[in-house]
Amino acid sequence: MDWSNTGHRKVTREIRELLVEYIGFLAGTGVRAGTEAFNLKWKNIEEYKKRGERPYIAINVDGKVGGRELIATDIATIHLIGLLKLNPNIEEKDLGKALKAKLDEYVFVDRSANRVTTDALRGSFKEFLIKHNMRYGADGKSRALYSLRHTYATMALIDGRDIHKLAVQMGTSVDMLERYYSKVSARHNAAEHSGRKKYKFPDK
């Protein structure tokens, strides 16, 4: 049985169900678990359209370093749809239409319409990690919800994202990114460093 559907109490099952979407959202946006996520409302999210392209999802958060706008990954958008479906306070389940409505409703709400605290999600995440023997990383350090922000940054750098643009997206500094993510190897971006992403060379 899916772990998110287990638990002796209804509240436990609903928090776990919400946690699945919460994890995907954090890992797909780099949003800080805590104030930035907890205070997020649907009216703070909108579609951003460019001619000839599918709409992007722009998210406005306010937290540790003030307000900023970021663009969600398409994977995070899938989890936003999941969050919308969970929320019983919102009748419109089409993401585009719901965002246009500028709803004054919190995003992280469980199936019973309860606004779930960061502490509750943090505790549930810890239980998940222990259950699946994932509490500690290869470096011996314990994982936490904030680890998902590190996941987002690491994957972005591995994908070759410009570090200055990434710093703006994440509401942090280039210095902080370099300090904590210098372990990203040149091999992760071999295609970019070799010029193959820009130029086509004949095979040997």
CSV table of all heavy atoms in Angstrom, one decimal, residues 19 22 33-34 117-127 144-145:
chain,number,residue,atom,x,y,z
A,19,LEU,N,1.7,15.8,2.0
A,19,LEU,CA,3.1,15.8,1.9
A,19,LEU,C,3.7,15.4,0.6
A,19,LEU,O,4.7,16.0,0.1
A,19,LEU,CB,3.7,14.9,3.0
A,19,LEU,CG,5.2,14.8,3.1
A,19,LEU,CD1,5.8,16.1,3.6
A,19,LEU,CD2,5.6,13.6,4.1
A,22,TYR,N,3.6,18.4,-1.5
A,22,TYR,CA,4.5,19.4,-0.9
A,22,TYR,C,5.9,19.2,-1.2
A,22,TYR,O,6.7,20.1,-1.6
A,22,TYR,CB,4.3,19.4,0.7
A,22,TYR,CG,5.0,20.5,1.5
A,22,TYR,CD1,4.5,21.8,1.4
A,22,TYR,CD2,6.1,20.2,2.2
A,22,TYR,CE1,5.1,22.8,2.2
A,22,TYR,CE2,6.7,21.2,3.0
A,22,TYR,CZ,6.2,22.5,3.0
A,22,TYR,OH,6.8,23.5,3.7
A,33,ALA,N,11.0,25.8,2.7
A,33,ALA,CA,10.0,25.2,3.6
A,33,ALA,C,9.9,26.2,4.8
A,33,ALA,O,10.9,26.6,5.3
A,33,ALA,CB,10.4,23.8,4.0
A,34,GLY,N,8.7,26.5,5.2
A,34,GLY,CA,8.6,27.5,6.3
A,34,GLY,C,7.7,28.6,5.8
A,34,GLY,O,6.7,28.4,5.1
A,117,THR,N,0.4,22.9,9.2
A,117,THR,CA,1.6,23.6,9.6
A,117,THR,C,2.9,23.0,9.0
A,117,THR,O,2.9,21.8,8.7
A,117,THR,CB,1.7,23.7,11.1
A,117,THR,OG1,1.9,22.4,11.6
A,117,THR,CG2,0.4,24.3,11.7
A,118,THR,N,3.9,23.8,9.0
A,118,THR,CA,5.2,23.3,8.6
A,118,THR,C,5.7,22.3,9.5
A,118,THR,O,6.3,21.3,9.1
A,118,THR,CB,6.2,24.5,8.5
A,118,THR,OG1,5.7,25.5,7.6
A,118,THR,CG2,7.6,24.0,7.9
A,119,ASP,N,5.5,22.4,10.8
A,119,ASP,CA,5.9,21.5,11.8
A,119,ASP,C,5.3,20.1,11.6
A,119,ASP,O,5.9,19.1,11.7
A,119,ASP,CB,5.6,21.9,13.2
A,119,ASP,CG,6.6,23.0,13.7
A,119,ASP,OD1,7.7,23.1,13.1
A,119,ASP,OD2,6.2,23.7,14.7
A,120,ALA,N,4.0,20.1,11.2
A,120,ALA,CA,3.3,18.8,11.0
A,120,ALA,C,3.9,18.2,9.7
A,120,ALA,O,4.1,16.9,9.7
A,120,ALA,CB,1.8,19.1,10.8
A,121,LEU,N,4.2,18.9,8.7
A,121,LEU,CA,4.7,18.4,7.5
A,121,LEU,C,6.2,17.9,7.7
A,121,LEU,O,6.6,16.9,7.2
A,121,LEU,CB,4.7,19.4,6.4
A,121,LEU,CG,3.3,19.7,5.8
A,121,LEU,CD1,3.3,21.0,5.0
A,121,LEU,CD2,2.8,18.6,4.9
A,122,ARG,N,6.9,18.7,8.5
A,122,ARG,CA,8.3,18.3,8.9
A,122,ARG,C,8.3,17.0,9.6
A,122,ARG,O,9.1,16.1,9.3
A,122,ARG,CB,8.9,19.4,9.7
A,122,ARG,CG,10.4,19.2,10.0
A,122,ARG,CD,10.9,20.4,10.8
A,122,ARG,NE,11.0,21.6,10.0
A,122,ARG,CZ,10.3,22.7,10.3
A,122,ARG,NH1,9.5,22.8,11.4
A,122,ARG,NH2,10.4,23.8,9.5
A,123,GLY,N,7.4,16.8,10.6
A,123,GLY,CA,7.3,15.6,11.3
A,123,GLY,C,6.9,14.4,10.5
A,123,GLY,O,7.5,13.3,10.6
A,124,SER,N,6.0,14.6,9.5
A,124,SER,CA,5.6,13.5,8.6
A,124,SER,C,6.7,13.2,7.7
A,124,SER,O,6.9,12.0,7.4
A,124,SER,CB,4.4,14.0,7.8
A,124,SER,OG,3.8,12.9,7.0
A,125,PHE,N,7.5,14.2,7.2
A,125,PHE,CA,8.6,13.9,6.3
A,125,PHE,C,9.7,13.1,7.1
A,125,PHE,O,10.3,12.1,6.5
A,125,PHE,CB,9.2,15.2,5.9
A,125,PHE,CG,10.3,15.1,4.8
A,125,PHE,CD1,10.0,14.4,3.6
A,125,PHE,CD2,11.5,15.7,5.0
A,125,PHE,CE1,11.0,14.3,2.7
A,125,PHE,CE2,12.5,15.6,4.0
A,125,PHE,CZ,12.2,14.9,2.9
A,126,LYS,N,9.9,13.4,8.3
A,126,LYS,CA,10.9,12.6,9.1
A,126,LYS,C,10.4,11.2,9.2
A,126,LYS,O,11.3,10.2,9.1
A,126,LYS,CB,11.0,13.3,10.5
A,126,LYS,CG,12.1,12.6,11.4
A,126,LYS,CD,12.2,13.3,12.7
A,126,LYS,CE,13.2,12.6,13.6
A,126,LYS,NZ,13.4,13.3,14.9
A,127,GLU,N,9.2,11.0,9.5
A,127,GLU,CA,8.6,9.6,9.6
A,127,GLU,C,8.8,8.8,8.3
A,127,GLU,O,9.2,7.6,8.3
A,127,GLU,CB,7.1,9.6,9.9
A,127,GLU,CG,6.8,10.1,11.3
A,127,GLU,CD,5.3,10.2,11.6
A,127,GLU,OE1,4.6,10.0,10.6
A,127,GLU,OE2,5.0,10.6,12.7
A,144,ALA,N,16.2,16.8,5.8
A,144,ALA,CA,15.1,17.6,6.3
A,144,ALA,C,14.4,18.2,5.1
A,144,ALA,O,14.8,18.1,4.0
A,144,ALA,CB,15.5,18.7,7.3
A,145,LEU,N,13.2,18.8,5.4
A,145,LEU,CA,12.5,19.5,4.3
A,145,LEU,C,13.4,20.5,3.6
A,145,LEU,O,13.3,20.6,2.3
A,145,LEU,CB,11.3,20.2,4.8
A,145,LEU,CG,10.1,19.3,5.2
A,145,LEU,CD1,8.9,20.1,5.8
A,145,LEU,CD2,9.6,18.5,4.0
